[in-house]
Amino acid sequence: MRTRPVILHLDLDAFFSAVEQLHKPSLRGKPVIVGGTGRRGVVSTASYEARVFGIGSAMSIGEARRRCPNAAYLAPRFPAYRDASRAVMGLLAELSPLIEQVSVDEAYVDLTPTHPDVDVPTVTVLADRLRARVTEVTGLTASIGVGTSKLLSKIGSELNKPDGLTVIAPGAEVETLAPMPIRKLPGVGPATQDRLHRRGLHTIGEVAAVDLADLIDLLGQAHGLAIHQHARGIDDRVLEPDREAKSVSAETTFPTDLTDQRELAEHARRLINRVIVRLVKDGATGRTITLKIRSYDFSTITRSVTLDQPTDSAAKILSGAKQLLSAIDTSNGIRLLGVGVSGLSDYAQQDLLADLVDPTDGTAPAVGSVGAVPVGVEEGGDLAQVAEDLVPVGDPVWTPGQDVHHAERGAGWVQGAGLGRVTVRFEGPHTGPGPIATYAITDPALSPAEPPVW
Ligand code: TTP
Ligand code: MG
């Protein structure tokens, strides 16, 4: 058990929507919802102004629109989030070499190698400085918790969210945890919570008072022991700087069996969008793309390709999946399709996300998602053809929130598009709220642009 408050947990506030408000001054102080903008999209995150309407991650966009029709609904801009995330992780790396990045906006730092003797006052100064640096370098706010363990620091960072710091003093662990609901403990999901509730156990303090043998009886050896210890503020888990590779996948079962390759490819694209969101959230990338196909007769096959380089590029994953799909006989009907990416590696080492996921979840590729170049595909197939398939035909697609450049008016973002027109707001992180103008979607003066730099 550590005796000094050396573990720090940082989590950015309303991350995706905070980046949107930073880059789009007209949205500051307003409800902003980032997510899939198609009919079946879900909310990635909501700004704090939108959360007062009860809107949060994973809610359907339809439900969010019912609750707050006037919010700005934007498609995610992963490259912008990634830049901000990298800058923050870089600041953490200045504090200590021992960092565990948990997701795109969240990481633990173990200060033992560089500040082994910190006490509450010194670590408070250090954490306050870190918060100020995060805001200075990225324009975003972070919440930080500090304590003697991962458990306490994580709980601390949630206690004063947003834009807060909580240092839990050594010795104060048990009293801090005691009144909290049991689901705050790591490993307590809905099932465990249910079991504990049925025993009349609701707070962490109540669980801490239960005998170890009883908890093991209720939850099994490993789980029972972990919860017993965590409830008593005992957590010796070390940081895992190189988190284990794992895989991310998504699958769907069709109401009626499908035979059409194009229709199946379209479903593959939607599944890939879901996979990409997870990849980005986990701060990961992968090399191996796997397609799972269950036929009309329930026989199931999987096929994989491995790329030379890890990727979280939507176009590269889609091209790999399409290539695998084209080699499969679908004429008798397919009832389930799944797409997975595995061989995940550390986010911080990887290339920038090269493509936008098609946020409309529809048929057209996202603007800028062209030019897939799959490399080192293991199984046969014409790669040039695969890449060709991804080139959008017809008019450009403009997505809400997208960065654009106008030949005369400069940098802006797409406020909305439809009926052959696109409305652009001309503003950036360092301007005031800007004016809008409407163009034909084919206007040659308008082109997709990189995210602005803070
Ligand atoms: P979180 O840190 O869970 O949420 P947040 O940063 O938006 O808000 P908070 O102030 O409560 O920390 O997740 C970080 C980002 O990950 C979030 O901005 C969007 C993305 N995300 C999803 O895409 N889907 C999800 O279900 C969740 C939870 C997050
Ligand atoms: Mg966050």
Side-chain angles (χ1 to χ4, degrees), residues 11-17 43-46 48 51 57-58 103-106 161-162 277 281:
D11 189 309
L12 295 168
D13 302 321
F15 180 41
F16 290 6
S17 47
V43 174
S44 288
T45 196
Y48 280 80
R51 290 184 195 190
S57 298
S103 82
V104 68
D105 80 330
E106 181 187 346
K161 220 173 206 325
V277 168
K281 183 164 163 43

Side-chain angles (χ1 to χ4, degrees), residues 31-377:
V32 173
I33 289 154
V34 179
T37 51
R39 267 180 301 130
R40 283 176 304 278
V42 294
V43 174
S44 288
T45 196
S47 69
Y48 280 80
E49 296 85 353
R51 290 184 195 190
V52 300
F53 297 93
I55 298 169
S57 298
M59 177 180 279
S60 79
I61 289 284
E63 176 63 21
R65 282 190 193 275
R66 274 189 291 281
R67 289 177 186 231
C68 190
N70 296 326
Y73 287 85
L74 305 175
R77 294 181 304 132
F78 296 122
Y81 312 145
R82 175 153 310 188
D83 287 351
S85 170
R86 285 212 168 137
V88 172
M89 298 305 153
L91 292 175
L92 299 184
E94 291 174 10
L95 280 183
S96 167
L98 204 46
I99 297 172
E100 177 180 336
Q101 185 174 348
V102 185
S103 82
V104 68
D105 80 330
E106 181 187 346
Y108 292 98
V109 183
D110 185 340
L111 298 168
T112 310
T114 43
H115 303 82
D117 301 324
V118 281
D119 54 13
V120 171
T122 52
V123 86
T124 302
V125 170
L126 186 145
D128 267 334
R129 257 193 226 138
L130 173 62
R131 279 189 333 110
R133 282 286 287 156
V134 166
T135 303
E136 186 188 329
V137 170
T138 65
L140 302 169
T141 61
S143 294
I144 295 181
V146 183
T148 52
S149 63
K150 289 171 93 168
L151 168 63
L152 271 299
S153 64
K154 166 107 180 157
I155 279 182
S157 74
E158 286 171 15
L159 276 180
N160 278 320
K161 220 173 206 325
D163 201 10
L165 168 67
T166 309
V167 180
I168 295 163
E173 291 87 354
V174 173
E175 67 191 75
T176 305
L177 293 172
M180 295 186 169
I182 47 179
R183 71 183 145 69
K184 293 272 179 195
L185 292 177
V188 177
T192 305
Q193 178 175 286
D194 248 28
R195 261 186 222 176
L196 293 170
H197 279 180
R198 271 187 264 124
R199 283 287 183 98
L201 303 170
H202 294 268
T203 66
I204 296 179
E206 286 164 357
V207 173
V210 175
D211 281 347
L212 174 60
D214 288 346
L215 274 183
I216 289 178
D217 233 25
L218 196 61
L219 305 172
Q221 178 70 37
H223 203 193
L225 179 61
I227 296 216
H228 181 75
Q229 296 210 322
H230 290 162
R232 292 161 182 234
I234 303 165
D235 174 23
D236 289 325
R237 286 175 301 158
V238 294
L239 271 61
E240 295 171 36
D242 300 305
R243 288 195 308 152
E244 225 176 284
K246 49 183 178 157
S247 71
V248 175
S249 61
E251 60 181 48
T252 182
T253 303
F254 307 118
T256 54
D257 296 355
L258 298 182
T259 55
D260 181 41
Q261 283 265 347
R262 287 192 51 181
E263 212 177 327
L264 284 161
E266 188 41 43
H267 282 284
R269 183 197 301 281
R270 291 193 186 137
L271 293 169
I272 286 164
N273 284 351
R274 280 161 54 189
V275 169
I276 295 267
V277 168
R278 271 244 51 107
L279 284 176
V280 171
K281 183 164 163 43
D282 291 353
T285 59
R287 288 184 64 197
T288 300
I289 298 156
T290 302
L291 201 66
K292 172 176 165 186
I293 301 251
R294 180 165 299 148
S295 298
Y296 68 101
D297 62 355
F298 283 86
S299 61
T300 305
I301 56 167
T302 58
R303 293 284 181 271
S304 331
V305 297
T306 298
L307 309 176
D308 275 351
Q309 297 285 327
T311 185
D312 57 6
S313 144
K316 286 181 189 167
I317 297 172
L318 181 60
S319 71
K322 274 187 165 181
Q323 197 228 344
L324 294 170
L325 193 60
S326 66
I328 292 168
D329 177 12
T330 58
S331 58
N332 283 324
I334 302 299
R335 47 176 292 121
L336 174 148
L337 178 69
V339 179
V341 176
S342 55
L344 302 184
S345 55
D346 200 22
Y347 159 86
Q349 300 158 7
Q350 303 312 327
D351 292 342
L352 287 176
L353 181 67
D355 314 74
L356 292 172
V357 186
D358 172 16
T360 61
D361 208 23
T363 51
V367 174
S369 74
V370 296
V373 193
V375 275
V377 176

